[in-house]
């Protein structure tokens, strides 16, 4: 295995960790926001947005390095686990676009639905973790699906 390929694998794994790891910090933020005031909510929302932005950018690196790994490696684009991962990735991109930003915007605008929105953010976070965990499982296990 050449050194460039190994470096890309390292970048791919590291970007996967950065794509998933910070999501768990969101649970602590959500828990704190249940009992916070408007002033601290603004700070928490800003942190929340920054974490989501970090996750998105790590996802870009993850996709780019994944493409390079398929091009350089022994796997074909028609491999079932790669096709399944791509399908889940498309779903997760659409999910991510709708899961956090609209809810955070509503939280900033009005405090009236705060508890409901926080519950939705928690559910969205778990759902996104589930999608990423499925993709991670496909990449690690490389199952023969069909």
């Amino acid at each position: 295995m050449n050194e460039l390929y190994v470096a890309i694998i390292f970048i791919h794994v590291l970007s996967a960790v950065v794509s998933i790891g910070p999501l768990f910090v969101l649970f602590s933020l959500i828990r704190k926001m249940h009992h916070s005031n408007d002033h601290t909510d603004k700070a928490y929302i800003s942190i929340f947005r920054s974490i989501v932005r970090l996750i998105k950018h790590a996802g870009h690196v993850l996709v780019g390095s994944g493409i390079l790994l398929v091009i350089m490696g022994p796997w074909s684009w028609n491999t079932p686990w790669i096709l399944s991962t791509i399908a889940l990735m498309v779903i997760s991109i659409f999910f991510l676009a709708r899961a956090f930003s609209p809810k955070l915007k509503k939280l900033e605008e009005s405090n009236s639905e705060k508890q409901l929105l926080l519950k939705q953010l928690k559910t969205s976070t778990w759902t996104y973790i589930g999608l990423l965990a499925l993709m991670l499982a496909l990449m690690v296990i490389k199952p023969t699906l069909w």
Side-chain angles (χ1 to χ4, degrees):
M1 201 176 299
N2 81 36
E3 293 167 10
L4 179 60
Y5 190 76
V6 171
I8 295 170
I9 289 174
F10 179 78
I11 290 167
H12 192 67
V13 170
L14 186 61
S15 61
V17 170
V18 175
S19 291
I20 297 172
L23 286 166
F24 292 95
V25 173
L26 297 181
F27 294 118
S28 175
L29 282 175
I30 292 168
R31 191 170 34 256
K32 289 179 181 184
M33 288 175 76
H34 277 289
H35 308 290
S36 61
N37 59 40
D38 288 343
H39 181 69
T40 53
D41 279 349
K42 289 185 191 315
Y44 289 143
I45 290 169
S46 177
I47 294 168
F48 208 107
R49 279 198 173 111
S50 296
I51 290 171
V52 171
R53 195 174 305 118
L54 172 66
I55 290 165
K56 286 179 185 178
H57 291 308
H60 297 141
V61 175
L62 187 63
V63 169
S65 59
I67 289 169
L68 290 173
L69 289 172
V70 174
I71 290 169
M72 296 172 65
W75 308 104
S76 155
W77 288 105
N78 295 329
T79 306
W81 66 267
I82 291 177
L83 291 173
S84 299
T85 301
I86 292 169
L88 282 172
M89 182 184 65
V90 169
I91 291 167
S92 73
I93 289 168
F94 283 105
F95 180 80
L96 186 60
R98 304 291 306 150
F100 298 110
S101 295
K103 292 174 186 84
L104 292 171
K105 188 174 183 178
K106 280 185 183 178
L107 262 175
E108 275 184 326
E109 293 170 354
S110 171
N111 216 6
S112 61
E113 300 178 342
K114 180 178 178 178
Q115 298 306 315
L116 174 64
L117 289 167
L118 291 174
K119 183 179 179 184
Q120 290 173 346
L121 283 170
K122 185 176 181 180
T123 301
S124 293
T125 304
W126 276 119
T127 303
Y128 194 63
I129 288 171
L131 285 168
L132 293 176
L134 280 172
M135 284 187 280
L136 183 64
L138 287 167
M139 287 184 276
V140 172
I141 300 167
K142 297 174 179 40
T144 304
L145 300 171
W146 60 82

